[in-house]
């Protein structure tokens, strides 16, 4: 790259902004890197997480890139520092619209690489359907980490998420406010199995990472936890996958992920022309925390592939 970037302290530490979704819900965004960086990587977190779930990965990418690549992290509606929306808006489709809002607000120009983890990967696929004109033009690379295109409830613990069970839970939460006051107690108890088994794989768990995961999940309101379940179990974007055939795609997952088993990634990669499939042995669903260094290397490789495609593509002479 021939672009010269003058570093500033804010480029390393980042700055926080708030953007308004199409229905007025405030979305909290954290931006690192220089505005004139040649590329922006936007990170889309999973269900019941928040932008901070990328912290370990962010540290390693800063070591790799410095401010040479801009990074954008944001909280979904109902998560982290973002505002709550009406329960009817807790859908992956709406999150796809929210992602578009973030891109238009803080990344109005230049090539973008989207990285989604878990539900975030689903949001990236929904965005590709909602904005097909952006794929290959604005969006020049995609990373799908511990993701799925459909059939989430066919294998693993998600088989317990029937429509009837989810509907009953959502009705109970909306009609019984005292359940909302019990949300922190419920999440703490649910978390024990998530952190010890589902989120992390066969390796030894880092205490700092486990503490971060605990804090994030404990902060998630019960309405948010339950509100997206119907959209998760009915999710199907297989018809969208062909739209990604013209850009580099990374499909990455852990071999010990029991929430979204690795078989989902195999199926996903098989339907994407030229996708790179990465299997991290022993890693669980929380692969971005548990194996941040290896995930960072894969993302660096994805960005390099995206720029290689830009250099030989006739439509992007100004990107380099």
């Amino acid at each position: 790259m021939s672009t010269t970037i003058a570093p500033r302290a804010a480029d390393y530490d980042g700055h926080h902004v708030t953007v308004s979704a199409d229905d007025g819900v405030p979305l909290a965004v954290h931006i690192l890197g220089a505005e004139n960086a040649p590329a922006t990587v936007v990170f889309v977190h999973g269900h019941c997480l928040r932008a901070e779930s990328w912290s370990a990965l962010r540290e390693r990418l800063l070591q790799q890139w410095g401010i040479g690549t801009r990074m954008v992290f944001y909280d979904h509606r109902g998560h982290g520092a973002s505002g709550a929306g009406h329960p009817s808006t807790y859908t992956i489709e709406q999150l796809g619209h929210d992602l578009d809002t973030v891109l238009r607000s803080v990344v109005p120009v230049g090539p973008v690489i989207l990285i989604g983890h878990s539900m975030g990967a689903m949001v990236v696929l929904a965005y590709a359907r909602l904005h097909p004109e952006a794929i290959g033009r604005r969006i020049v690379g995609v990373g799908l980490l511990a993701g799925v295109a459909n059939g989430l409830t066919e294998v693993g613990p998600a088989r317990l998420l029937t429509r009837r069970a989810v509907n009953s839970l959502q009705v109970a939460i909306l009609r019984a406010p005292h359940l909302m006051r019990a949300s922190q107690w419920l999440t703490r108890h649910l978390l024990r199995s998530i952190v010890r088994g589902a989120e992390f794989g066969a390796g030894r768990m880092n205490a700092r990472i486990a503490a971060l995961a605990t804090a994030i999940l404990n902060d998630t309101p019960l309405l948010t936890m339950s509100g997206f379940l119907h959209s998760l179990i009915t999710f199907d974007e297989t018809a969208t996958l062909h739209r990604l055939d013209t850009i580099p795609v990374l499909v990455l997952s852990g071999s010990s992920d029991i929430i979204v088993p690795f078989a989902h990634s195999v199926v996903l990669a098989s339907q994407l022309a030229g996708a790179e499939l990465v299997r991290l042995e022993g890693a669980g669903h929380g692969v971005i925390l548990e194996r941040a260094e290896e995930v960072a290397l894969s993302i660096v490789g994805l960005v390099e592939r995206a720029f290689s495609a830009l250099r030989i593509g006739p439509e992007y002479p100004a990107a380099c």
Side-chain angles (χ1 to χ4, degrees):
M1 294 295 161
S2 60
T3 305
T4 300
I5 301 171
R8 302 171 305 169
D11 296 331
Y12 292 100
D13 297 334
H15 60 282
H16 297 264
V17 300
T18 300
V19 303
S20 294
D22 52 14
D23 60 352
V25 173
L27 303 175
V29 184
H30 184 198
I31 306 167
L32 294 92
E35 290 185 7
N36 60 337
T40 301
V41 185
V42 178
F43 296 84
V44 190
H45 70 76
H47 184 227
C48 294
L49 297 176
R50 62 177 186 239
E52 193 60 21
S53 64
W54 299 102
S55 61
L57 186 63
R58 183 179 66 229
E59 292 173 9
R60 284 158 179 81
L61 289 174
L62 279 171
Q63 293 170 6
Q64 289 276 339
W65 289 331
I67 61 167
T69 299
R70 199 165 183 237
M71 292 188 284
V72 172
F73 307 85
Y74 72 99
D75 293 332
H76 292 307
R77 60 179 57 215
H79 294 75
S82 289
H86 188 276
S88 65
T89 70
Y90 284 2
T91 67
I92 294 172
E93 174 119 346
Q94 179 59 55
L95 296 185
H97 291 299
D98 291 349
L99 172 56
D100 180 57
T101 296
V102 171
L103 292 176
R104 287 186 288 105
S105 300
V106 303
V107 198
V109 296
V112 174
I113 296 93
L114 298 177
I115 308 294
H117 170 245
S118 190
M119 184 177 74
M122 300 179 182
V123 174
V124 170
L125 293 178
Y127 173 86
R129 171 176 52 80
L130 294 167
H131 300 279
E133 74 289 345
I135 309 303
R137 299 193 66 84
R138 290 294 319 285
I139 310 303
V140 299
V142 162
L144 305 172
L145 316 181
V148 61
N150 74 326
L152 179 64
T153 59
E154 292 179 2
V155 294
R159 287 178 296 179
L160 301 175
L161 294 175
T162 65
R163 294 193 187 198
R164 181 176 180 180
V166 169
N167 289 340
S168 297
L169 175 62
Q170 291 174 339
V171 169
I173 291 170
L174 290 172
R175 293 183 178 178
H178 65 278
L179 286 178
M180 297 300 294
R181 291 193 295 272
S183 64
Q184 292 300 318
W185 182 88
L186 288 170
T187 44
R188 277 199 302 273
H189 285 72
L190 287 171
L191 187 64
R192 290 176 183 171
S193 61
I194 292 174
V195 170
R196 293 175 184 174
E199 279 291 319
F200 295 92
R204 186 174 181 179
M205 194 190 329
N206 179 286
R208 184 178 70 87
I209 290 174
L212 174 61
T214 300
I216 290 172
L217 288 169
N218 273 344
D219 285 345
T220 304
L222 189 57
L223 183 58
T224 297
M225 293 181 70
S226 65
F228 287 97
L229 292 179
H230 186 268
S231 189
L232 287 168
I233 67 176
T234 59
F235 181 79
D236 188 346
E237 290 286 358
T238 52
T240 301
L241 295 178
H242 72 94
R243 301 190 184 279
L244 304 181
D245 286 347
T246 60
I247 62 174
V249 178
L250 167 68
V251 178
L252 180 148
S253 184
S255 65
S256 298
D257 188 337
I258 65 172
I259 295 179
V260 181
F262 184 74
H264 281 299
S265 291
V266 174
V267 172
L268 185 56
S270 71
Q271 299 176 81
L272 292 163
E276 178 189 12
L277 177 62
V278 176
R279 172 187 170 107
L280 295 184
E281 293 297 330
H285 193 62
V287 63
I288 62 173
L289 285 166
E290 183 185 0
R291 304 284 280 274
E293 184 171 355
E294 293 158 278
V295 176
L297 289 175
S298 291
I299 291 175
V300 169
L302 170 66
V303 173
E304 290 175 351
R305 286 197 292 143
F307 271 116
S308 293
L310 288 179
R311 279 194 285 269
I312 63 174
E315 296 181 323
Y316 304 98
C320 298

